Structures are given as structure tokens and as C-alpha cells.
Amino acid sequence: MRYLNTYIEIKNRLSECGLKATHQRIVIYECLAKSFNHPTAENIYESIKPNNPSISLATVYKTLDTFVSAHLIHKVFSDDGIVRYDAYTHPHSHIYCINTKEIIDFEDENLNRLIQGYLKRKKIKNLKIKDIQLQILAEKVNIKEKVSIK
Amino acid sequence: MRYLNTYIEIKNRLSECGLKATHQRIVIYECLAKSFNHPTAENIYESIKPNNPSISLATVYKTLDTFVSAHLIHKVFSDDGIVRYDAYTHPHSHIYCINTKEIIDFEDENLNRLIQGYLKRKKIKNLKIKDIQLQILAEKVNIKEKVSIK
DNA sequence: TTCCTAAATGATAATTATTATTAACTAATA
DNA sequence: TATTAGTTAATAATAATTATCATTTAGGAA
């Protein structure tokens, strides 16, 4: 499922998860859903602060943790020791730009099928595979331009 | 290159990197090289403490950081907000066991070639790919047994 | 609509993980 | 052996996250 778009969708999903649909939760989720740069809790806090000065950093941490437990969002793997988040829960991979520190979403159904097929043919015992993501370590050639994948 | 094995090899590699081959560095590197479970700095500190009570935690952090900068070891991607390390720098992937919290090394040259070939045929602009790793999210079926991959 | 209460929040303290500082130590070169 | 730039230990400081608790509130029942 892709990230939730509207207030009603978010509200409904929260209720389905047995969670109260508070204003803070809606704001935090919307902020993350609009962010494609896999922000930290602190990033989100700074982002919502101008329009929501009373939401505390502790609330942001607590709320993100609640969302992760409810599978509304995912944590992103990183190696910098800071937890980052992703509202886009549909299976996808990430491109880690070494020089710009960006983490870019990357999605390719064909490649997924290729890898899954290969792993199925491999004899792996005592393991149940849930998800496969690629970690593509790369460098942006021109820092000012966007990465383009076709 | 696989992880370094002997005192002499470690000593030589440190010198090649313009680093002094101190006792602390040798001990920390050896500890990591023997660990296949991608330990944290704290894990390594606890591990070496019995035989090296005077090596401080700050030294362990500093030394690991130095090793990473010198490409002697790598950081492992994780989503728990704690930095983990890997002495095995040869390109490989990881299996993340959701239920046991283990991170298991996984290596398959054929699969690597398959993915690299696929991505080369894909039109990716403004990006220079350096390394591709799989993040396999899985569950151990029988927690007490080992995972086996053929 | 009102009442009720379990869940949620804000403020802040506490904890955990990591880095900075600085005096003292030492690896390795001359 | 002497020298010194690099390294370390101890500890303070910082950064990231979680715990605590009084107060607030979403949403269901009446």
C-alpha cells in the first residue's frame, strides 16, 4: 500500500489500528508522507514547528514509534546511527548517495521478481524471507542535478 | 579483500594507511575480525575488557571510526539507531532476522552479477554505482538452529 | 449533547550512544 | 637513545532517544 493521502484516509487507518486520531498524529504523518528524503524525528519536529509550536519532540518520537509498530511507516536502514523514517511502505529499495548523503527511493518490479526467483531456487534452510531490498551505494555525478532512473 | 588475519597483516595494513600500529588497534581489529555478528562499539568494548581492562570505550569508538575512514572495516546498515561494524569488507549482503535480531552475512557472486547486469541495462542518469548489497528481511523458522544457504 | 475514561500529550528528567577535550603516553623514526 | 606526532584514558560534553507524570482530549456510551 502506498502512503496515505488524505485526512480521512489517515484517520481511518489510525482507527483500524486501534489508535486515536489526534491532531498531532495527523500532522506528523502528513509531514512524513510529504517527505521523500527519509527524515529523522528531529527533522520532522523542525518541519512542523512553525505551524504547530506546541507539539513536543517527545511526542514526535513517541508518535513515530507508534506508527512503526502499527506498520503505517517503516524505519529506513542507515549507517549513521540515527533513526530515519519512510511513509512509503510499498516494497522498494534505496539508493544511498555517498557524497550528498541523500537516500533516494528506487522501485523496480522486474528486478524484484528476478531476485526473488533466484533466491527461491537457492536452498536456504530455516529462513522465511519477508522482504528484499537493495542497498545501492552510489555517488551523484553532478550534485546539483537530480538522479534519473528509467 | 577479506578481513586481515594475522598480527603482521594488521600491522602492515595500518602502516600502509599511515596509522600507528598500537596494541589497542590490533586488539580491537582482531575482536571485530573474529565477530561475525556485526557488533556495536559497546559490544566490542565488553568483549575485550576482560583481557584489556585499560582500553577505554572512547578509544574503541575512536579506533573504529579511524578504521572506517581507512576502509579497513565497514559500518553495517541497521534501523535500530546504533552503529554496527563489519571487518569483512569484501562485497556481500546481509540477512536481517526480524525475530532474533541477527544480521547474517550472505554472499552470492552469481546474484551480484545478475543485479549488476540488470542495473547496467537500466538507464540511470547522474549516478555512479559503487556497491550493491541486498537487505534480506527474514524470520528464522527455528530460532535455535542456524540458517543454512546453499 | 453531556459525561466519562483510557489513551495521548507536553515538559522535563533520565538514559543511552557518541564525540570532544586535554594531559599523559608511546610507536616508530632519526 | 632521543624525539615528537600521533594516540590514548579519563572524563566532560553533546546528541539522540526514552521515561515519568500531571494534564489534556478523542471518541464512545448514555
Side-chain angles (χ1 to χ4, degrees):
Chain A
M1 180 205 39
R2 294 178 188 275
Y3 53 86
L4 306 169
N5 272 326
T6 65
Y7 179 97
I8 296 300
E9 278 185 304
I10 300 167
K11 204 174 187 302
N12 287 343
R13 274 305 304 269
L14 284 167
S15 299
E16 282 164 22
C17 295
L19 297 169
K20 290 185 174 180
T22 65
H23 168 73
Q24 292 89 335
R25 285 175 175 171
I26 308 275
V27 163
I28 290 164
Y29 184 87
E30 279 178 337
C31 179
L32 183 60
K34 286 174 194 159
S35 306
F36 297 102
N37 61 346
H38 311 93
T40 66
E42 177 83 25
N43 294 154
I44 293 168
Y45 173 70
E46 292 302 330
S47 193
I48 64 176
K49 199 170 176 179
N51 290 337
N52 298 274
S54 66
I55 297 185
S56 77
L57 180 55
T59 295
V60 177
Y61 272 103
K62 185 69 175 167
T63 299
L64 290 169
D65 212 55
T66 299
F67 286 168
V68 168
S69 297
H71 307 295
L72 288 168
I73 67 174
H74 285 169
K75 288 181 185 178
V76 177
F77 285 79
S78 66
D79 69 351
D80 58 6
I82 310 175
V83 180
R84 294 174 177 280
Y85 300 89
D86 200 340
Y88 188 49
T89 54
H90 188 73
H92 65 288
S93 299
H94 289 116
I95 297 170
Y96 295 83
C97 289
I98 299 166
N99 49 351
T100 61
K101 307 294 179 189
E102 290 170 88
I103 302 174
I104 300 168
D105 286 335
F106 171 76
E107 201 173 351
D108 190 317
E109 294 294 330
N110 289 332
L111 183 49
N112 271 353
R113 272 194 286 274
L114 200 67
I115 298 171
Q116 275 165 4
Y118 185 97
L119 288 177
K120 268 180 180 172
R121 292 191 291 275
K122 197 136 178 122
K123 286 179 177 173
I124 303 180
K125 287 177 180 175
N126 198 29
L127 203 71
K128 188 180 179 189
I129 294 177
K130 297 285 186 178
D131 186 23
I132 297 158
Q133 293 170 27
L134 282 177
Q135 245 173 41
I136 302 172
L137 305 187
E139 272 175 0
K140 242 184 176 180
V141 177
N142 186 326
I143 292 174
K144 289 175 181 177
E145 284 175 21
K146 284 193 174 185
V147 166
S148 163
I149 303 159
K150 284 176 177 178
Chain B
M1 181 206 38
R2 297 176 185 277
Y3 53 87
L4 306 169
N5 271 325
T6 66
Y7 180 95
I8 295 300
E9 279 184 303
I10 300 167
K11 203 173 188 301
N12 288 343
R13 275 305 304 269
L14 284 166
S15 297
E16 282 164 22
C17 294
L19 298 169
K20 288 186 175 179
T22 66
H23 167 73
Q24 291 91 337
R25 284 175 174 171
I26 308 273
V27 162
I28 290 164
Y29 184 88
E30 279 180 336
C31 179
L32 183 59
K34 285 174 195 159
S35 307
F36 298 102
N37 61 346
H38 313 90
T40 65
E42 178 83 23
N43 294 154
I44 293 169
Y45 173 70
E46 292 302 331
S47 194
I48 64 176
K49 198 170 173 178
N51 290 338
N52 298 274
S54 66
I55 296 184
S56 76
L57 180 55
T59 295
V60 176
Y61 272 103
K62 185 70 176 167
T63 299
L64 289 170
D65 212 56
T66 299
F67 287 169
V68 168
S69 297
H71 307 295
L72 287 168
I73 68 175
H74 286 169
K75 287 182 185 178
V76 176
F77 285 78
S78 67
D79 69 352
D80 59 5
I82 310 174
V83 181
R84 293 175 178 279
Y85 301 88
D86 199 341
Y88 189 50
T89 54
H90 189 74
H92 65 289
S93 299
H94 288 118
I95 298 170
Y96 296 83
C97 288
I98 299 166
N99 47 351
T100 61
K101 306 296 180 188
E102 290 168 88
I103 303 174
I104 300 168
D105 286 336
F106 171 76
E107 200 173 349
D108 190 318
E109 294 294 329
N110 289 331
L111 182 49
N112 272 352
R113 273 194 285 272
L114 199 66
I115 298 169
Q116 276 165 3
Y118 185 97
L119 288 176
K120 268 180 181 174
R121 292 191 291 275
K122 197 138 177 114
K123 285 180 177 174
I124 304 179
K125 286 177 180 175
N126 199 28
L127 204 71
K128 188 180 178 187
I129 293 177
K130 296 285 186 179
D131 186 22
I132 299 160
Q133 293 170 25
L134 280 179
Q135 247 171 36
I136 302 172
L137 305 188
E139 272 174 3
K140 241 183 175 180
V141 176
N142 186 324
I143 290 173
K144 289 174 179 176
E145 285 175 20
K146 284 191 175 187
V147 166
S148 163
I149 305 159
K150 283 177 177 177

